[in-house]
Amino acid sequence: MAALPAMRPLGCLRSLVRASEPIQPFVNRRFISTAYSKRPERVPLPPNMPEQFLSQIPLRFRPDPDREPLKIYPAPPSARKACKDPVGAVTESQLAVLDPTGERKAMFDYRRNPRSVKTGDIVRVTFKNGDPFNGIVMSIKLRGIETSFLMRNELTRVAVEMSVKVFSPNVNSVEIVQRSEKKRRRARLYFLRDKKHDRRSVENIVASYVRQKKAFLGGGNRRR
Amino acid sequence: MIQLKQTLLNCIDNSGASIVECVNVLKKKRPATIGDRIVVVVQKQRSAGSEATTAAALASKVRRGDIRHAVVVRVKKELQRPDGSLVRFGDNACVLVNKSGDPIGTRMNGVVGQELRNKKWSKILSLAPIHV
């Protein structure tokens, strides 16, 4: 049907179609240029074109009355604009719940507070459920709400290390039993694991502290 | 991290074994941790120095080369608790049990992990002097 002589002149439409594709002149080309040339605009089909000529146009260029225009939805609202620093916001809200007075935060903020717990101190931690744990503080990790400290002790001649989250609601109290004798130059005292530097058990130091405290508070009748 | 062919554990009960080797981890495809049941071979007896005819050796319920079940009670690899705290021990240790899960020894020396409670090893917990 396309070969009908009457439709021959319509062959020129093909050239129209071809014109819509990007033109890349290859005259005297010796190198690849990355120069950007604007894509030529599509030439519209002639208006009032008889319908039977459409068969000569490639399918993708034929006008389609049924096709709806593409719907373009607006981008969803930016979460970044709504909350600039979500991690900071969560930390603050959690701190407000778990540590309203800021007491615990100050107790472990060894960079700012000179009276805080420091590495090398012997501490006693009591829990809401379970026995208290004593130990020498090996490291304090300041990580916002995740702040934790690592204690080391020896129970029945077996080394035990325990890391506790400072703001855990399970932690009842943290007491400093003894300050380290000398100023520690390291932030993390992992060398305490070596045989040479191991402090072994701190149980008797803590036991004497507890005894003293009981005597001071009057027979231990008062509860902490 | 207790697994086949690599782990020698201290046996901390009075069953007579002092060092045992893990040969299998039961009900688990991963390395064993506190509260897991394992199969062990007794490598060293507690009364290794004395003769086999002494009373101590006769009292020991296991011998070198025995294959027994055991429950891990301490591990070097740190364990995380549900509240975010970590616990790490200085050695790997276990307690021998029989097929029905009762401990073979009658006494234990040394701390054990508290995870035993969640895994229904309260018999071992009641024998232990301290749990952490």
Side-chain angles (χ1 to χ4, degrees):
Chain A
M1 184 191 150
L4 281 175
M7 288 177 189
R8 276 282 148 191
L10 265 179
C12 67
L13 277 177
R14 274 175 203 258
S15 68
L16 275 180
V17 165
R18 215 169 291 139
S20 69
E21 278 152 20
I23 302 156
Q24 289 194 333
F26 272 84
V27 188
N28 287 342
R29 197 150 205 221
R30 287 199 146 176
F31 52 87
I32 300 168
S33 161
T34 54
Y36 171 74
S37 56
K38 208 182 155 198
R39 198 189 170 108
E41 273 185 34
R42 178 175 286 188
V43 181
L45 290 172
N48 309 324
M49 196 172 57
E51 223 171 79
Q52 63 267 34
F53 293 164
L54 285 176
S55 63
Q56 296 188 24
I57 307 172
L59 266 176
R60 60 200 162 107
F61 291 111
R62 276 180 218 172
D64 186 0
D66 296 341
R67 193 202 289 168
E68 288 174 14
L70 277 177
K71 259 190 185 173
I72 298 171
Y73 296 97
S78 163
R80 194 179 160 73
K81 263 181 198 162
C83 183
K84 271 262 166 69
D85 182 15
V87 176
V90 168
T91 306
E92 249 170 56
S93 69
Q94 285 291 298
L95 276 179
V97 174
L98 298 170
D99 187 30
T101 54
E103 200 178 354
R104 285 194 186 184
K105 193 184 174 200
M107 189 165 184
F108 282 90
D109 199 1
Y110 64 92
R111 297 230 173 95
R112 293 189 191 84
N113 183 6
R115 296 184 59 228
S116 71
V117 176
K118 292 189 181 62
T119 48
D121 295 354
I122 294 170
V123 294
R124 173 182 169 84
V125 186
T126 56
F127 299 100
K128 290 216 171 108
N129 56 348
D131 304 331
F133 189 87
N134 320 316
I136 179 162
V137 176
M138 281 171 85
S139 78
I140 299 172
K141 283 185 180 172
L142 297 177
R143 303 278 188 284
I145 198 69
E146 289 274 297
T147 300
S148 66
F149 61 104
L150 179 66
M151 291 171 290
R152 184 183 171 89
N153 194 3
E154 201 169 66
L155 299 170
T156 65
R157 280 191 271 164
V158 175
V160 183
E161 281 176 24
M162 195 175 204
S163 164
V164 176
K165 303 268 186 233
V166 171
F167 299 112
S168 163
N170 196 15
V171 173
N172 210 0
S173 72
V174 181
E175 298 161 54
I176 302 172
V177 173
Q178 195 185 61
R179 293 281 188 187
S180 69
E181 316 84 84
K182 54 184 179 184
K183 191 181 169 349
R184 300 285 184 179
R185 293 177 179 230
R186 313 252 173 277
R188 307 274 138 91
L189 309 182
Y190 293 140
F191 61 82
L192 290 178
R193 288 175 184 154
D194 304 343
K195 218 170 208 175
K196 186 180 163 192
H197 298 282
D198 200 349
R199 287 283 302 272
R200 317 285 297 192
S201 179
V202 295
E203 284 297 315
N204 16 359
I205 300 171
V206 175
S208 71
Y209 163 80
V210 170
R211 227 176 295 127
Q212 272 180 17
K213 191 179 162 189
K214 257 188 186 170
F216 187 69
L217 292 178
N221 292 329
R222 269 169 64 178
R223 286 190 66 88
R224 263 190 307 277
Chain B
M1 296 276 281
I2 285 144
Q3 52 197 5
L4 173 62
K5 283 287 170 200
Q6 274 160 31
T7 319
L8 292 174
L9 303 104
N10 294 332
C11 185
I12 58 162
D13 56 10
N14 64 348
S15 61
S18 81
I19 292 176
V20 296
E21 182 186 342
C22 173
V23 291
N24 195 7
V25 179
L26 298 175
K27 296 191 178 178
K28 212 177 180 187
K29 299 279 180 207
R30 330 201 80 224
T33 181
I34 295 181
D36 286 337
R37 200 163 167 167
I38 57 175
V39 181
V40 296
V41 174
V42 178
Q43 296 285 13
K44 218 175 177 185
Q45 270 174 269
R46 212 163 268 287
S47 55
S50 59
E51 289 83 48
T53 51
T54 57
L58 283 175
S60 74
K61 290 162 186 163
V62 294
R63 306 189 144 271
R64 193 176 159 273
D66 275 7
I67 297 171
R68 297 284 175 157
H69 282 204
V71 177
V72 182
V73 295
R74 290 200 294 255
V75 280
K76 268 191 176 180
K77 179 71 188 164
E78 64 272 21
L79 266 170
Q80 193 159 23
R81 300 256 163 94
D83 67 341
S85 58
L86 289 177
V87 173
R88 183 190 291 130
F89 291 97
D91 67 343
N92 295 318
C94 69
V95 172
L96 298 189
V97 293
N98 59 17
K99 287 274 158 67
S100 59
D102 300 321
I104 290 176
T106 52
R107 256 189 297 148
M108 284 169 61
N109 42 358
V111 289
V112 299
Q114 211 147 39
E115 277 76 10
L116 293 173
R117 185 179 296 153
N118 315 333
K119 298 193 179 169
K120 309 279 189 299
W121 294 112
S122 45
K123 268 186 190 170
I124 295 172
L125 265 184
S126 62
L127 287 178
I130 317 174
H131 28 101
V132 169

